[in-house]
Structure formats: structure tokens, C-alpha cells
Amino acid sequence: MRKPRLMTPGPAMVPEDVLLELARPVIHHRSDEAKQVIVEVSEGLKEVFQTQNDVMILTSSGTGAMEAAVVNVVPPGGKAIVLNAGHFAARWGSLCKAFGLNAVMLDTEWGKPVDPDQVAEALKQHPDAVAVLGTLSETSTGTGHPVEAIGRVVAESDAVFIVDGISGVGAMECRTDEWGIDVLCVGSQKALMLPPGLAFISVSPKAWAKIEAFDARSFYFNLKAARSKAKEFDTPYTPAHTLILALRAALKRIRAEGMEGVWKRHRVMSEACQAGVQALGLELFSARPAEGLTAFRVPEGMKDSQIRGKMAERFGVTTVGGQAKLKGKIVRIGHMGYTDELDVIAALAALEMTLAELGFDVEPGKAVTAAQQVLIGKGAAALA
Amino acid sequence: MRKPRLMTPGPAMVPEDVLLELARPVIHHRSDEAKQVIVEVSEGLKEVFQTQNDVMILTSSGTGAMEAAVVNVVPPGGKAIVLNAGHFAARWGSLCKAFGLNAVMLDTEWGKPVDPDQVAEALKQHPDAVAVLGTLSETSTGTGHPVEAIGRVVAESDAVFIVDGISGVGAMECRTDEWGIDVLCVGSQKALMLPPGLAFISVSPKAWAKIEAFDARSFYFNLKAARSKAKEFDTPYTPAHTLILALRAALKRIRAEGMEGVWKRHRVMSEACQAGVQALGLELFSARPAEGLTAFRVPEGMKDSQIRGKMAERFGVTTVGGQAKLKGKIVRIGHMGYTDELDVIAALAALEMTLAELGFDVEPGKAVTAAQQVLIGKGAAALA
């Protein structure tokens, strides 16, 4: 007996009732029933995004939504400032390059948060920038960026603020309208508690003005076409509508908990996970940890594959290692979406037993106890 | 009691065991288990496609695969000949337009098959054409095009033959390598017996040569990136991997039946459906019917919505009407993928009872009997 616990920063675990939606007989995607589902999930997504902007559904991974944002907002040859602070932020740069756009890379050391003052400075140096491309939760480093403060800075300029919220939205506080996020990209397989296959994108009036100013070389990801169909609660091409049906079930859960409750739960889980990891003498990788995952450095003399391998084989707890230049250097534990306090305790228990069995000098129970000290009282309040 | 029977030309019905795969707990998409699934489905897809070419998996609707084909094969400003014979063929033209390509529209009356001689003529007139964009089964008109004969013609030129097999592959004979199809696009929600969300695309060496000749303005649908990941049984971005797991189950069914068996079953079902419809005095719309659906003209004095509405409300049989210029003019009954002989009988029975109840001069039983006459003996042989 070894229950699978998918503690990765996406795909994350999916509630049983949501999975069962996917096993229902397929209905027609242009039926009244399918349209009614889009009506309902559109409302739910606006609540998750905290926005009155249009929110559109794309059948793709989150990267598809990022492509949609870039090619529809930035005209050919246009300039965009990339807040380059991790593997996924760098993808904004790759997207710009692929479409012949002028990407100004504003580098931040991996694991450090982007500095809003530097963004202000870059916008002064590049008043012709059409967009600032940022990240809410950088999954590769486990860092949460100060999107609210960056949003204030960008709002003062003519540029639109495009945010990769793929692993962040639903796991960290994110107020699209209040914070001045013009375009927000989200994936289904993270805190939204679905399998992969859908992406969601919101667009503000400021961003629509940029989009309307030119004909984007875009078809599948054309946002004008998506908007015109979304008005009729439809999509331009056959959507992954069984996933949209499942989304309705996932959103029902999110609305029952309330966004404040969802954010609080993630904050508490991340504090508990961080406390547990640090109690073992492990070092957090990020200077400003994201709330949907915890990244820690692999202790000297050990391999990340040893730790992750034993956690998976011995205890069924799946985690991920580092990407790109962090390969082999960090371990990332996801705690987003369909995850509760006891899942975090279980992952920490697995981690400390794993380290003990691998001969690492660790006092079993320390991580779990430290996490419990965070959770007692606090957790209960958060979930009340 | 009114059982739902989704007799539409996609999304089509999905076997219960395939649906149940989708209800399984989510695994990590970069795990050994997920990779093993890609190994298995890649083999299965090659069998379905009847090809030794690379077959890649995209997380998108079939239109995404069409976009991938166009933007990767035809360089900016390049010329493509569009075999424009229906609503979905016209999408090839829209794609070319969106990406600034030079589309030569070779028009064929809707419902008529494309004439291979005209394709030869067009290739002579346009020796600089990079690609010929055709369709195996035109879902909007219910027409099967002579892809084998067209393939012979295109093979003699320098152009590559790109085929929309979205609703055709798995429902109609299609031999990618033998017939000279350089790029074949397929969707998951048709004869492959899955919900929507995945697309599949095969690329021949002749097409790879075109693709390698320039840097496509493409990121999410970049086929070079897809190929390099496919070699490691991986994908560039997070795939809808729970659908890929379900695909394995669907392919297991297809392999058990064998491609010859699958094609024969569809041929027999389509002959039975055509015979039934015609026995009621209804007129087939297509001069060369596809084998995954049957389209008939709405009889004078009736509305398609009356017929389809009653079939759905009274009997639970979902069909679709016409698209674009065929709106209101035809009814289309799908019989692809997870459909058997008795499903066709059921749909025909619902159709004739519907027409009788609507006051149309029809002799109940005629359609069913005519279909049975096709099925007796023939069906059994086909399925043996």
C-alpha cells in the first residue's frame, strides 16, 4: 500500500468529483447544455481572476495563452520588456524571438523577486515598449513576484502588463483589476484543479486597444476571434469541452471556499512547508517564495534524484527537481489546488524519513512538528 | 428513459473504458509512466495513419494541427493551392490569409469531389506552389475526396500534399505513405474515439525538407520543436496527458479491430445509412459520400431544426445541421468511431418516426429495412 500523492507544481492533483465529470458520456460542444456550461464557467473564472475583463478559454497548454498574449498585443517588430527571472519568464523572450519581436530582457537573478523600481526605470528607457511581460509565480524557482507593485508602475505607462499566472492564479492572491494586470494567462492543471488541456486568458480594455490596432498574424490563438465567439458563450474551434465541464465542478469547489479562503489556505500551506523544510536545516531557494510550491536546495553531497526517487518509490510522493540551470540543484514540492494541510504534513514526513534513510543528519519529526506549529490555530482560522 | 446517442460528425461517442481512463488520478506528465504511454500511442498512431513518418501529438483542436502544417511548411509569402470544396477546406484559405500566404483557391462545388485532373492543371499553372491543401472527409458536406488520386498527382510535383484528415482518418481508408500524403492532420474527437483536446500530425521527409528550409514564425505549433521532443517521447509544452492515456485505450480497441476492419465497418455503416435515408425519399447531399457521416437535404417544406429537434428531444439522437451556406439546408448524421451497425439502425428508426410524426409522407420501417438489407451478410463479413 503506497498511495500516490502528486506533489508537483503542476500537473497537480484533481478532486475525485472533477475526475468523474470527465468520465461522463460526451455531449455535443455546440449544444445548449455545452453553452450553459460556458456561461457558468465564465462567471466562475472572472471570480478566480478577480476581474470584470473578458476571460476567454483556449484549448492548449498555458504556453498557448502566452503565445496568444504576445502575438495579439505586440505588433510585428514591436518592443516588449521581459521580466526575466526564471525558466518560464525566459519563455516570454523565446516567444518574442520566434515572432520577430524586440524583447528587452530585464534580468533578475533566479530566486530573487523582480524589483518594481527596475521596471519603472526600464519603462523610462523604453517609452516605446508595448508590453511588460511578467510572472506571478515563477514555477522554476518557486518565487512569487510582486505583481501588485509592478502593476502600479506599468499602469503609469502606455505599456500593457501581461502576466503569466499559469501556476500562480488560484494559489496566490491575484487581483487582476485592482492590480492593473491587462492580460493574465492561466493553465488548467495547476491551482484550478483540472488535468492539462485548457488555458484561460483575460484581456483589459487597455490591452484590447493594442490588439485592435493591428491584424495579428494569428489564427488558432486569435483573440479577436475568441472574443467574438465568447460573447455568444462559444469558441472559434472545437474546445476540449469535457474539460470545460470538469472546470465547472472545480470552480464550484473554489467558489464554495471563496477566493480569500483559497489564498489563505495556500499561504498557510506554504508557510508550513517552508517551516518544515527549514527545520531540517535545508535552505529555501527563493528569497520570496511562491505560495503554490516550495523549492529548496539539494544538500551538499546528495543528488536531487536520490531524494526525489526515494520519496516517490518508498512513499508515493512525487516531486520535481530543477529545470535548465537549476537542474540537479533544487527540489520542488507542489502544494497547489487540491491539496490540504495534511498533504503537506505527509510530504514533509516523507522528506524527513527519506533523508534519514539516505544517511543525512536529520532528526525525524522536526519538519512535521515545525509545520504543525504553523498550522495549529492558523490553519483552522484560515479555513474557517 | 431516453438514452443519449451522439450521432454527430464529431465530437463522437467515446467508449466507456476510454472515458474511465480520464477519471484516473492524474500522474506527472514527465514521469516514466507518461513517457511509456507516448511510446505506445506513437506506435498505434503510425498504424492508424498507415505511415512510417513522424507522428506528433499537439494539445489543441484539429485546427491547431492545420495551423501547424501551414505555418511550418509554407514560408512567408509562399504559395499554396487550396482544394476549396467546403467549409473546412475554406479554413485552409483563412489560415493562409491570416499568415500572409498566397492561397490559390481551387473551387469545387460543395458536395462534389475534388477532380484530380484539376489539381494537376493547377500545379502546372503554379509550379511555385509549396503545398496543396486538401481534405479527406469534408465534414461540412459529408463528402469523401479522392485523396489517393490527388496524392499521385501532387507526388509528381515539388509541392507537398497536406491533408485535413480530422474527421476522416479512422473512418475512411487512408494510407499516408502509399498515397503520398506528406502532412496529415487528425483530431481526437472523431473516429479516434476520444473527447476533443488533442490533434495529431504526421510529416514526411519531403515535408521536413520544406520545414527545414526556413525559420517558421511559430512557437506553440513549431514542428521542429515538436519533432525534437517526440524523439524522446516527450512534448515541448505540457500536453493534455490524461487524454493521451485515454488515447492508449482507444488505440487498443482500434488495433484489436485492425485498420482494415475499422474501414470496412465504417464503409458498411455509411452504405446502410445512405440506403436508409434514400429509402425515405430523401436526397443525399454529396455526390461522393464520406464514410463517417451521411448528409441529406432537408425535404421541401420542412426545417432542419424540426427534424433534428424532434430526433433529439423525442429519441435522444443528436445530429447536426448545415454550416455556413448550407445552414438549414442539410442534416448530417455521424457514424464514426465508437458506433456500430445497430446505432445506425437506431438513428434511422428515429429519423423515420420523426418524419412520420412531423407529417412527412413516409412509410415507417422503410429506412430500417433498407439499411438491414445492406447489413445482412455484408456487415457480418466486414466485422469477421
Side-chain angles (χ1 to χ4, degrees):
Chain A
M1 176 70 71
R2 195 190 50 182
K3 291 195 187 177
R5 286 179 168 83
L6 186 65
M7 305 287 287
T8 58
M13 290 180 279
V14 176
E16 293 75 2
D17 56 313
V18 175
L19 287 171
L20 285 174
E21 284 289 320
L22 293 165
R24 286 178 51 191
V26 174
I27 61 169
H28 196 253
H29 64 302
R30 305 290 189 221
S31 62
D32 291 342
E33 189 182 349
K35 199 163 275 200
Q36 178 56 30
V37 176
I38 297 193
V39 171
E40 290 173 42
V41 302
S42 299
E43 272 316 295
L45 287 170
K46 283 186 182 189
E47 199 169 318
V48 171
F49 278 57
Q50 297 278 297
T51 189
Q52 294 303 314
N53 292 339
D54 299 306
V55 182
M56 288 153 291
I57 301 172
L58 306 171
T59 295
S60 71
S61 81
T63 301
M66 291 172 74
E67 173 163 326
V70 167
V71 297
N72 283 276
V73 170
V74 188
K79 187 184 274 186
I81 296 170
V82 174
L83 309 183
N84 185 28
H87 180 65
F88 289 100
R91 184 164 290 176
W92 285 125
S94 305
L95 270 161
C96 290
K97 198 179 158 209
F99 292 102
L101 308 177
N102 181 358
V104 176
M105 302 300 278
L106 193 67
D107 295 335
T108 295
E109 193 187 328
W110 286 28
K112 297 279 188 304
V114 169
D115 177 359
D117 290 343
Q118 286 191 346
V119 180
E121 188 53 39
L123 280 165
K124 253 182 235 161
Q125 277 176 37
H126 301 281
D128 55 337
V130 178
V132 172
L133 307 174
T135 314
L136 174 61
S137 164
E138 172 60 56
T139 320
S140 68
T141 66
T143 301
H145 292 293
V147 165
E148 182 180 7
I150 301 168
R152 261 196 302 272
V153 166
V154 181
E156 283 167 24
S157 76
D158 185 46
V160 298
F161 189 24
I162 298 176
V163 175
D164 162 2
I166 292 169
S167 75
V169 170
M172 291 179 73
E173 185 175 355
C174 183
R175 301 178 186 273
T176 300
D177 294 354
E178 256 183 78
W179 294 3
I181 301 171
D182 295 300
V183 179
L184 183 60
C185 305
V186 179
S188 58
Q189 78 279 19
K190 311 274 184 173
L192 263 56
M193 306 191 289
L194 288 174
L198 292 180
F200 315 104
I201 185 166
S202 72
V203 179
S204 73
K206 185 178 176 183
W208 279 125
K210 306 268 186 204
I211 293 169
E212 280 154 9
F214 73 106
D215 284 330
R217 289 246 159 128
S218 172
F219 190 82
Y220 188 74
F221 291 123
N222 190 300
L223 289 177
K224 285 178 205 157
R227 175 175 59 175
S228 104
K229 287 292 185 179
K231 281 196 205 303
E232 305 158 16
F233 300 104
D234 206 343
T235 52
Y237 317 112
T238 305
H241 70 314
T242 69
L243 280 170
I244 301 177
L245 266 155
L247 172 63
R248 176 168 64 176
L251 289 171
K252 203 173 158 188
R253 281 176 166 272
I254 290 175
R255 297 181 94 168
E257 192 174 358
M259 288 315 295
E260 295 281 354
V262 167
W263 294 333
K264 269 187 200 161
R265 172 167 52 85
H266 284 89
R267 198 171 305 136
V268 167
M269 290 193 301
S270 76
E271 281 172 20
C273 196
Q274 289 163 30
V277 161
Q278 288 178 302
L280 296 175
L282 299 169
E283 195 187 342
L284 295 179
F285 179 73
S286 178
R288 192 179 189 273
E291 289 162 12
L293 73 156
T294 298
F296 63 85
R297 291 183 193 273
V298 174
E300 224 158 297
M302 298 191 83
K303 281 188 177 173
D304 78 305
S305 56
Q306 282 179 297
I307 301 172
R308 298 194 305 105
K310 197 179 254 298
M311 283 179 79
E313 280 153 37
R314 173 93 164 75
F315 300 107
V317 176
T318 305
T319 58
V320 288
Q323 291 170 292
K325 65 183 174 193
L326 290 180
K327 211 174 171 114
K329 294 189 179 158
I330 60 171
V331 170
R332 294 175 293 155
I333 300 173
H335 35 73
M336 56 176 69
Y338 188 49
T339 313
D340 69 4
E341 294 168 287
L342 295 181
D343 287 325
V344 174
I345 295 285
L348 288 170
L351 174 62
E352 55 189 1
M353 287 191 276
T354 290
L355 290 174
E357 291 187 3
L358 289 174
F360 184 74
D361 182 21
V362 62
E363 203 181 307
K366 263 196 133 174
V368 167
T369 305
Q372 285 174 316
Q373 276 158 359
V374 170
L375 295 172
I376 290 166
K378 215 175 187 179
L383 302 172
Chain B
M1 176 70 72
R2 196 189 52 182
K3 292 196 188 175
R5 286 180 167 83
L6 185 66
M7 304 287 286
T8 58
M13 290 179 281
V14 175
E16 292 75 2
D17 56 313
V18 176
L19 286 172
L20 285 173
E21 285 289 320
L22 294 165
R24 284 178 51 190
V26 173
I27 62 169
H28 197 255
H29 64 302
R30 305 289 187 220
S31 62
D32 290 342
E33 189 182 350
K35 199 163 275 200
Q36 178 56 30
V37 176
I38 297 192
V39 171
E40 290 174 39
V41 301
S42 298
E43 272 316 295
L45 286 170
K46 283 187 182 186
E47 197 169 322
V48 171
F49 278 56
Q50 297 280 297
T51 189
Q52 295 302 317
N53 293 339
D54 299 306
V55 182
M56 288 153 291
I57 301 172
L58 305 172
T59 294
S60 70
S61 82
T63 301
M66 292 171 73
E67 174 163 325
V70 167
V71 299
N72 283 278
V73 170
V74 188
K79 187 183 276 187
I81 297 170
V82 175
L83 310 184
N84 185 28
H87 179 65
F88 289 100
R91 183 163 290 175
W92 285 126
S94 305
L95 269 162
C96 290
K97 198 179 157 210
F99 293 101
L101 308 176
N102 182 359
V104 176
M105 302 300 279
L106 193 67
D107 296 335
T108 296
E109 192 187 331
W110 285 29
K112 298 278 189 301
V114 169
D115 176 0
D117 291 342
Q118 286 191 345
V119 179
E121 189 53 41
L123 280 165
K124 252 182 234 160
Q125 277 176 37
H126 302 280
D128 54 340
V130 178
V132 173
L133 308 174
T135 314
L136 174 62
S137 164
E138 172 59 56
T139 321
S140 67
T141 66
T143 302
H145 293 294
V147 164
E148 183 179 7
I150 301 168
R152 261 196 302 270
V153 166
V154 181
E156 283 167 22
S157 75
D158 185 47
V160 297
F161 189 24
I162 298 176
V163 175
D164 162 2
I166 293 170
S167 75
V169 169
M172 292 179 72
E173 185 175 357
C174 184
R175 302 179 185 271
T176 301
D177 294 353
E178 254 185 79
W179 293 3
I181 302 171
D182 295 299
V183 180
L184 183 60
C185 305
V186 179
S188 57
Q189 77 277 19
K190 312 275 185 175
L192 262 55
M193 306 191 289
L194 288 175
L198 292 180
F200 315 105
I201 185 166
S202 72
V203 179
S204 73
K206 185 178 175 184
W208 279 124
K210 305 269 186 204
I211 293 169
E212 280 155 8
F214 72 108
D215 284 329
R217 290 246 159 129
S218 172
F219 189 83
Y220 188 75
F221 291 123
N222 191 300
L223 290 177
K224 284 177 207 157
R227 174 176 58 175
S228 107
K229 287 291 183 178
K231 281 197 206 300
E232 305 158 15
F233 300 104
D234 205 344
T235 53
Y237 316 113
T238 305
H241 70 312
T242 69
L243 281 169
I244 300 176
L245 266 156
L247 171 63
R248 176 169 63 177
L251 288 171
K252 200 173 160 190
R253 280 177 166 271
I254 290 175
R255 297 181 94 167
E257 193 174 357
M259 287 316 295
E260 295 281 354
V262 166
W263 295 331
K264 269 188 200 161
R265 173 167 52 85
H266 283 89
R267 197 172 304 136
V268 168
M269 291 192 300
S270 77
E271 281 171 21
C273 196
Q274 290 162 29
V277 160
Q278 288 177 303
L280 296 175
L282 298 169
E283 194 188 340
L284 295 179
F285 179 75
S286 178
R288 191 178 190 275
E291 288 160 14
L293 73 156
T294 298
F296 63 85
R297 289 183 195 272
V298 175
E300 223 158 297
M302 299 191 84
K303 283 187 175 171
D304 78 305
S305 54
Q306 283 179 296
I307 301 170
R308 298 195 303 106
K310 197 179 254 299
M311 283 179 78
E313 281 152 36
R314 172 94 164 77
F315 300 106
V317 175
T318 304
T319 59
V320 289
Q323 291 171 292
K325 64 184 175 193
L326 289 180
K327 210 175 170 110
K329 294 187 179 159
I330 60 171
V331 170
R332 293 175 293 155
I333 300 173
H335 33 74
M336 57 177 67
Y338 187 49
T339 313
D340 69 4
E341 294 167 286
L342 294 181
D343 286 325
V344 174
I345 295 286
L348 288 170
L351 174 63
E352 56 190 358
M353 288 190 274
T354 290
L355 290 174
E357 291 187 2
L358 289 173
F360 185 74
D361 183 22
V362 63
E363 202 180 307
K366 265 195 132 171
V368 167
T369 305
Q372 285 174 315
Q373 277 158 358
V374 170
L375 295 172
I376 291 166
K378 214 173 187 182
L383 302 171

